[in-house]
Amino acid sequence: MNNYKLSFSVLALLLILSCKQEQQQKPTANLIKGPFFSAVPQEQPQLLAPELLMSPVTEYNGTFSPDGTEFYYTTDVAQNAYITFTKMLPDSTWSEPRIASFSGTFSDYDPLFSPDGNRIYFSSSRPKGDTDNSKIWYTERTDSGWSDPVRVVLTGEEDNEYYSSLTTDGTLYFNIWSKGDIYKAIPTDSIYQVELLPDIINSGGDKGDPFVAPNEEYLIYRGYDESLGGGDLYITFNINGEWTQPENLGEPINSEAHEMCPWVSQDGKLFVFASGRSTGKLETAPLDPIKKVHSENSSFNNLNLYYTSADFIQRMKQKHLD
């Protein structure tokens, strides 16, 4: 009888441990459902899907597909960066993040969807692997996945191009890191006509990470002039063909930490950006599909992805129209 009771107790304990192990191994993606991670826009910045995206390293450059069912971003570790993605599954849950099919060999970063969702533009050190020789590339959606990347020829070989953003008419905004300026490239029959943005935007300290509205209504970018701490995000509006004096987005979006990599959903509701404001060590385990890029060492002061309501854009624009 005692042996029977002992055996029963051991069996019960094993069952409990098995259930706990199963719960611990349950994919974090199952905690998040729906397009755009079902993120509800609000005024105070919130971590974007931390159960799914946060890791012991750095995440930035977040961009959703127009329908909100795919999310691409940069995972940064040491001297390498990888474009990582997650997508919504048939049951509305999200897949565990993985390195994109077109990334993983060279340093790749700054993914941004084209307005129609059929291309992803990104920055890359390919084919030389020299991080000081970054250029703009794109990959195109096909029936079998993403195509081999194609370089967009914009400037000379000595210029290091980063962070491309596209308008509906195909004009490409980007920055040259070594010059600290933002440019736009207007497509012609066979080439791009590259123009430096006016001094009202580029004067002062370094500028970068330009996100332009598809209709070119506004431009949000990273800068350092009279910032609250590190880099801050600024906005300028295109009114009657002229850019307004750039304005710091201020708190609560900007902070004493570093903010960068702005992005706005096409419906104008969701604003996504990267920030180093998170404090304390992350209590998260490396995600198995991309664990080769995860470690206890992080770069960029451990940037994470945040989101807010994008309503501030129209409120700030209205001041110029009153």
Side-chain angles (χ1 to χ4, degrees), residues 110-187:
D110 306 342
L112 281 103
F113 272 99
S114 61
D116 63 7
N118 290 326
R119 285 184 177 181
I120 292 178
Y121 286 79
F122 64 100
S123 313
S124 178
S125 67
R126 67 186 65 205
K128 298 179 181 180
D130 180 357
T131 55
D132 292 327
N133 194 35
S134 173
K135 298 296 178 183
I136 305 299
W137 297 71
Y138 72 83
T139 177
E140 209 149 31
R141 194 187 297 277
T142 70
D143 292 339
S144 58
W146 294 106
S147 68
D148 291 336
V150 176
R151 180 183 164 187
V152 183
V153 179
L154 298 173
T155 64
E157 292 301 318
E158 71 280 2
D159 292 323
N160 44 8
E161 306 158 357
Y162 288 85
Y163 212 88
S164 50
S165 183
L166 200 70
T167 67
T168 50
D169 68 1
T171 298
L172 192 72
Y173 281 66
F174 67 101
N175 69 277
I176 295 179
W177 189 277
S178 55
K179 295 180 179 179
D181 290 325
I182 299 174
Y183 298 75
K184 71 175 181 178
I186 303 168

Side-chain angles (χ1 to χ4, degrees), residues 58-253:
T58 285
E59 298 86 30
Y60 56 100
N61 295 129
T63 178
F64 281 102
S65 59
D67 63 1
T69 62
E70 299 170 274
F71 186 75
Y72 283 73
Y73 62 102
T74 304
T75 297
D76 196 307
V77 56
Q79 299 301 312
N80 290 304
Y82 303 88
I83 294 176
T84 314
F85 79 101
T86 174
K87 64 180 181 180
M88 199 172 78
L89 303 174
D91 64 354
S92 294
T93 63
W94 286 76
S95 65
E96 291 188 358
R98 298 178 182 274
I99 295 174
S101 60
F102 54 89
S103 185
T105 301
F106 301 97
S107 275
D108 304 315
Y109 22 79
D110 306 342
L112 281 103
F113 272 99
S114 61
D116 63 7
N118 290 326
R119 285 184 177 181
I120 292 178
Y121 286 79
F122 64 100
S123 313
S124 178
S125 67
R126 67 186 65 205
K128 298 179 181 180
D130 180 357
T131 55
D132 292 327
N133 194 35
S134 173
K135 298 296 178 183
I136 305 299
W137 297 71
Y138 72 83
T139 177
E140 209 149 31
R141 194 187 297 277
T142 70
D143 292 339
S144 58
W146 294 106
S147 68
D148 291 336
V150 176
R151 180 183 164 187
V152 183
V153 179
L154 298 173
T155 64
E157 292 301 318
E158 71 280 2
D159 292 323
N160 44 8
E161 306 158 357
Y162 288 85
Y163 212 88
S164 50
S165 183
L166 200 70
T167 67
T168 50
D169 68 1
T171 298
L172 192 72
Y173 281 66
F174 67 101
N175 69 277
I176 295 179
W177 189 277
S178 55
K179 295 180 179 179
D181 290 325
I182 299 174
Y183 298 75
K184 71 175 181 178
I186 303 168
T188 63
D189 291 339
S190 58
I191 61 172
Y192 283 91
Q193 177 184 337
V194 177
E195 299 179 0
L196 178 68
L197 291 193
D199 284 345
I200 196 169
I201 294 174
N202 278 318
S203 62
D206 290 349
K207 309 295 191 301
D209 300 354
F211 174 83
V212 65
N215 63 0
E216 239 166 335
E217 174 189 4
Y218 59 83
L219 175 72
I220 305 177
Y221 63 89
R222 167 192 46 77
Y224 299 91
D225 299 318
E226 298 181 2
S227 71
L228 302 184
D232 276 359
L233 297 175
Y234 300 76
I235 191 168
T236 175
F237 296 95
N238 187 349
I239 298 178
N240 299 323
E242 299 289 335
W243 292 105
T244 63
Q245 182 67 41
E247 301 170 72
N248 189 306
L249 295 188
E251 295 178 330
I253 292 175

